[in-house]
Amino acid sequence: MTIRTVLPQGASAATNNGYGVTEMELTDATSRFVDLDGMRVHLRRTGTGPTLVLLHGSGASLHVFDAVTDLLADRFDVVRPDLPGFGLTGPRPDRDYSVGAYVSFLDRLLEPLVPGPFVLAGHSFGGQIAWTYALAHPDRLRGLVLMNATGYPDKDIPLALRLARIPPLRPVLRRLSSRAATARNLAGLVGPGSTVVDDALVDRVHTLTSRPGARDAFIDFATTDHPDRSAEIAAIRTPTLVLSSELVSGQHFGRDIPDSHEVVLPGGGHLMPAEAPAEVSRAIGAFADGLDREDG
């Protein structure tokens, strides 16, 4: 396998949706593109210190961690990819969006980039990838951070995912892909009183979800069978921090993972990293301090 790193100057400057957000504006000086599995994988890497890998959720991108990264880059080497099917990475050629495919992709992506043990943090579906990775590759991890992670069958499913799983309603999903619908969907993912859903966020998300192949990739993702492996969560032995929003259901990681530490954020919605970056970064920093004490 050959992995080639390309500087972001190769990104297209075309505007995708008419709202003035270009692909070039979605990259920065820390962006890199890596050829893997037939995809041009977008990732950002910044900061110094022990490595922290951040995984976003479905329908999102690495940008959800922008504020968290700004707060943590002075003490961590922060690596965050756009996962296959989302962001600037785009669709998988083989259309395999199983958790196992994501775990394999992540392991091969990180092998040459992060040779030593690292802390793996995931939000939403990124959290499900993270805890599945911890089961498969415990020797690679110093710690695990789960932010409103998925993986339990009683967790609420967003409307877009429910629509994508019903073939007659998929045309409805495409009609719900307007910028106004994007704004409504984002507003439903945050807690009451949150002001994080602004024009910039809506424009960015709408641009990324309107890229060529993005909607079909989302439908492929939504219709992929993800077997219930929640009974295996208790087998995780990696030191784990669980970050849960008070208003998000179906999270039992603090109960099931031995010796895990759970922090509940009051009043927050599903978009925890964007809604509460200061709280998230403080919790991750304190968790890492504890790991350092254990290592010492």
Side-chain angles (χ1 to χ4, degrees):
M1 178 188 66
T2 300
I3 297 180
R4 180 168 56 92
T5 301
V6 184
L7 294 178
Q9 281 78 2
S12 167
T15 298
N16 291 306
N17 67 351
Y19 289 96
V21 181
T22 66
E23 181 173 321
M24 187 63 75
E25 290 175 294
L26 295 168
T27 62
D28 67 11
T30 70
S31 289
R32 296 293 182 269
F33 288 87
V34 176
D35 290 340
L36 181 61
D37 291 351
M39 296 173 291
R40 185 167 171 264
V41 179
H42 176 227
L43 64 87
R44 290 186 183 181
R45 186 170 199 169
T46 188
T48 57
T51 300
L52 169 67
V53 177
L54 301 173
L55 304 181
H56 65 79
S58 62
S61 69
L62 59 78
H63 305 86
V64 74
F65 292 114
D66 280 353
V68 169
T69 299
D70 288 344
L71 292 167
L72 291 176
D74 64 339
R75 60 173 301 180
F76 290 99
D77 163 31
V78 183
V79 178
R80 44 185 175 136
D82 273 335
L83 293 171
F86 310 110
L88 293 178
T89 295
R92 286 187 64 104
D94 62 6
R95 301 173 64 184
D96 185 354
Y97 296 103
S98 63
V99 176
Y102 278 107
V103 169
S104 174
F105 161 85
L106 183 66
D107 191 48
R108 287 177 293 113
L109 176 70
L110 295 180
E111 183 179 10
L113 297 175
V114 187
F118 58 93
V119 174
L120 180 59
H123 171 244
S124 190
F125 182 69
Q128 187 167 352
I129 298 170
W131 66 255
T132 307
Y133 187 95
L135 287 170
H137 304 286
D139 56 312
R140 290 282 281 136
L141 299 182
R142 294 183 65 233
L144 176 67
V145 181
L146 303 177
M147 295 172 270
N148 285 341
T150 60
Y152 288 96
D154 58 332
K155 186 173 177 62
D156 291 338
I157 299 174
L159 174 62
L161 282 175
R162 296 199 302 271
L163 290 175
R165 293 174 180 176
I166 305 172
L169 295 182
R170 288 173 192 166
V172 177
L173 178 63
R174 289 186 171 90
R175 289 198 297 272
L176 290 177
S177 298
S178 67
R179 184 184 183 281
T182 298
R184 289 194 298 272
N185 292 337
L186 288 169
L189 294 175
V190 299
S194 174
T195 60
V196 71
V197 181
D198 57 12
D199 285 342
L201 175 59
V202 174
D203 286 347
R204 185 187 75 223
V205 172
H206 186 248
T207 294
L208 289 170
T209 55
S210 300
R211 298 184 79 236
R215 291 169 190 167
D216 288 337
F218 183 77
I219 290 174
D220 286 340
F221 168 82
T223 55
T224 298
D225 182 35
H226 299 294
D228 179 12
R229 296 186 61 184
S230 57
E232 301 175 52
I233 290 171
I236 294 172
R237 294 296 180 267
T238 302
T240 302
L241 170 66
V242 179
L243 298 178
S244 305
S245 292
E246 183 183 28
L247 303 179
V248 176
S249 66
Q251 301 185 84
H252 313 295
F253 299 99
R255 177 195 70 191
D256 292 345
I257 299 177
D259 301 320
S260 60
H261 176 64
E262 183 169 17
V263 177
V264 178
L265 278 62
H270 184 67
L271 288 184
M272 177 190 291
E275 291 182 83
E279 292 84 349
V280 168
S281 60
R282 278 198 298 268
I284 291 176
F287 175 62
D289 288 340
L291 295 177
D292 291 341
R293 287 193 293 272
E294 291 177 10
D295 291 344

